[in-house]
Amino acid sequence: MVLPLGSTSCSEPDEPGPGGGGEGTIAFTDPSAREAVTTLTIKEFEVWAFTGPWNTAIMRGVDVRRTGLNSWTYSPVTKWPENPVDFYAVSPVGMKVDINIPHSRWIDFPMDNGKTDLLVAVKMGAVQSDGHIRLNFCHTLARVTASISTTLSDTIVRVKRIAVRDVADNGKYFIPMKTTVKDEPADEISDAWEIHNMNATRYDLFATERATELLTLSSEPFSVSGMAEFFLPVKFNPLTTDGGYLHGSSIEVAYQLYDRKTGRKIWPIGTTDKNLFVSDLEGWGAARFPLLNNTPEGRWYAGREYHYDISIKGPASLNLSRSSAEEGNSIETTVGRLEGV
């Protein structure tokens, strides 16, 4: 008797066992038509499976690949045991996964470039009569996007970079030992993370590649995309000037202001506070919006999408008591939910 593996939306009824592959094979059914990783549907995932009173491993990091509509393949073929089977699945493949039930069940996750959306699914107590195995993948990360515009008509606003500072650069996710469900509670997924570091980190949501390149703002919002997008769910640190240096969880916009008629640079200039300059971009100033004050509940939750709409209205300031750390510049936040499988 062989196990065929598969994966579908948990909101639909179970399908019968696979045909044409031999009875008793573990098979995975297809994910739903909705996008599973925001930009791409799941095309492959890795599976670990354990059975019996001693948690005997019958699958360990097996690569399951899509071969067509509701068609998946993996090797070697796995037989259904007499005891129920617990499945643990991770997408994308190639993650630093340590699963040796019951001793270890975690994923070491470095942020890298912020383009990886980490999804995890668990199916506990599956038996052969269940038919194709449905895996409900849940987003373990938050997605962050932004747009930016200006209300200024007599001033040219040039932007060099939009970055997120002092957020997590790596962490360890503890895979749950219970079946994941549709709309898994965001706090449970978020609290399963162990965060390692939130100091001196920077991830660019937008940045020009060449020194001479820049973005000139208009009243029409410019949508940021193509760079860091997925982040570990964290509780933010306050934005402060402790020790004479500005630090804390924030969105930093590196920009300059020029008089439209004369072309003269009007900000930042020599009299601008040193904390308002960008340390690695000579001649550029920064508006810094504290994430603690500008994100609901002062944190990112897994499976949520946070969009920050930024408006540049003039020079930046260091009035950190304000909700946006700016005298005139503003930021608005909207929160949505990432779709799973």
Side-chain angles (χ1 to χ4, degrees):
M1 303 233 313
V2 186
L3 291 165
L5 293 171
S7 139
T8 59
S9 168
C10 65
S11 62
E12 300 173 0
D14 286 339
E15 297 180 2
E23 291 187 4
T25 60
I26 292 180
F28 293 103
T29 189
D30 210 35
S32 68
R34 290 174 300 160
E35 293 184 341
V37 293
T38 303
T39 55
L40 297 172
T41 56
I42 291 179
K43 290 181 172 61
E44 62 179 326
F45 52 86
E46 286 184 276
V47 173
W48 288 253
F50 300 84
T51 188
W54 307 111
N55 293 297
T56 302
I58 61 173
M59 303 182 77
R60 190 178 291 279
V62 175
D63 191 351
V64 180
R65 298 184 181 183
R66 181 196 296 275
T67 57
L69 182 62
N70 200 20
S71 175
W72 297 82
T73 185
Y74 70 97
S75 181
V77 174
T78 305
K79 295 181 179 180
W80 269 108
E82 294 182 0
N83 294 308
V85 181
D86 298 334
F87 293 94
Y88 303 85
V90 177
S91 177
V93 301
M95 295 291 100
K96 299 177 181 179
V97 182
D98 186 339
I99 302 180
N100 185 21
I101 303 297
H103 307 292
S104 60
R105 50 181 179 87
W106 57 72
I107 304 170
D108 281 318
F109 186 80
M111 268 285 294
D112 294 331
N113 58 14
K115 295 182 180 180
T116 300
D117 186 10
L118 179 65
L119 295 96
V120 172
V122 178
K123 174 73 172 180
M124 303 292 286
V127 294
Q128 181 180 350
S129 60
D130 289 341
H132 288 179
I133 301 303
R134 294 178 180 277
L135 297 174
N136 184 55
F137 284 91
C138 297
H139 293 267
T140 67
L141 303 175
R143 185 184 185 217
V144 176
T145 61
S147 59
I148 188 168
S149 61
T150 183
T151 59
L152 301 174
S153 59
D154 57 353
T155 303
I156 298 173
V157 183
R158 297 174 177 173
V159 174
K160 187 68 175 174
R161 184 173 68 205
I162 303 173
V164 175
R165 286 191 173 273
D166 289 355
V167 295
D169 62 354
N170 63 84
K172 180 180 286 187
Y173 179 74
F174 289 86
I175 301 171
M177 296 185 70
K178 66 173 187 176
T179 298
T180 48
V181 298
K182 184 182 179 181
D183 297 334
E184 187 82 10
D187 56 342
E188 292 187 15
I189 303 176
S190 303
D191 291 343
W193 279 98
E194 178 183 277
I195 304 302
H196 297 161
N197 178 53
M198 284 183 63
N199 295 318
T201 59
R202 191 197 88 208
Y203 294 97
D204 295 342
L205 301 177
F206 165 83
T208 57
E209 295 183 0
R210 299 191 180 99
T212 57
E213 291 180 339
L214 47 84
L215 168 67
T216 300
L217 298 187
S218 70
S219 58
E220 185 69 23
F222 172 80
S223 295
V224 173
S225 63
M227 305 195 78
E229 187 173 354
F230 297 100
F231 291 83
L232 279 72
V234 294
K235 297 178 180 179
F236 301 125
N237 292 325
L239 185 62
T240 67
T241 54
D242 184 35
Y245 295 94
L246 192 64
H247 58 85
S249 305
S250 63
I251 291 181
E252 176 190 85
V253 180
Y255 71 107
Q256 297 173 335
L257 301 177
Y258 289 82
D259 184 276
R260 187 174 295 278
K261 290 183 178 180
T262 65
R264 179 177 59 89
K265 184 180 180 182
I266 55 179
W267 190 87
I269 55 178
T271 57
T272 301
D273 188 296
K274 67 176 183 177
N275 281 307
L276 290 173
F277 282 94
V278 182
S279 60
D280 63 323
L281 295 176
E282 185 177 356
W284 291 83
R288 296 179 177 90
F289 301 92
L291 286 167
L292 182 65
N293 298 344
N294 290 288
T295 307
E297 301 183 64
R299 66 175 299 178
W300 286 330
Y301 280 105
R304 301 277 174 83
E305 180 173 3
Y306 297 86
H307 180 79
Y308 296 93
D309 188 3
I310 304 165
S311 179
I312 299 298
K313 304 175 181 178
S317 79
L318 283 176
N319 188 353
L320 303 185
S321 64
R322 295 178 61 88
S323 63
S324 66
E326 307 302 319
E327 292 292 348
N329 301 329
S330 64
I331 185 169
E332 294 184 3
T333 309
T334 56
V335 184
R337 189 178 185 96
L338 288 170
E339 292 296 329
V341 179

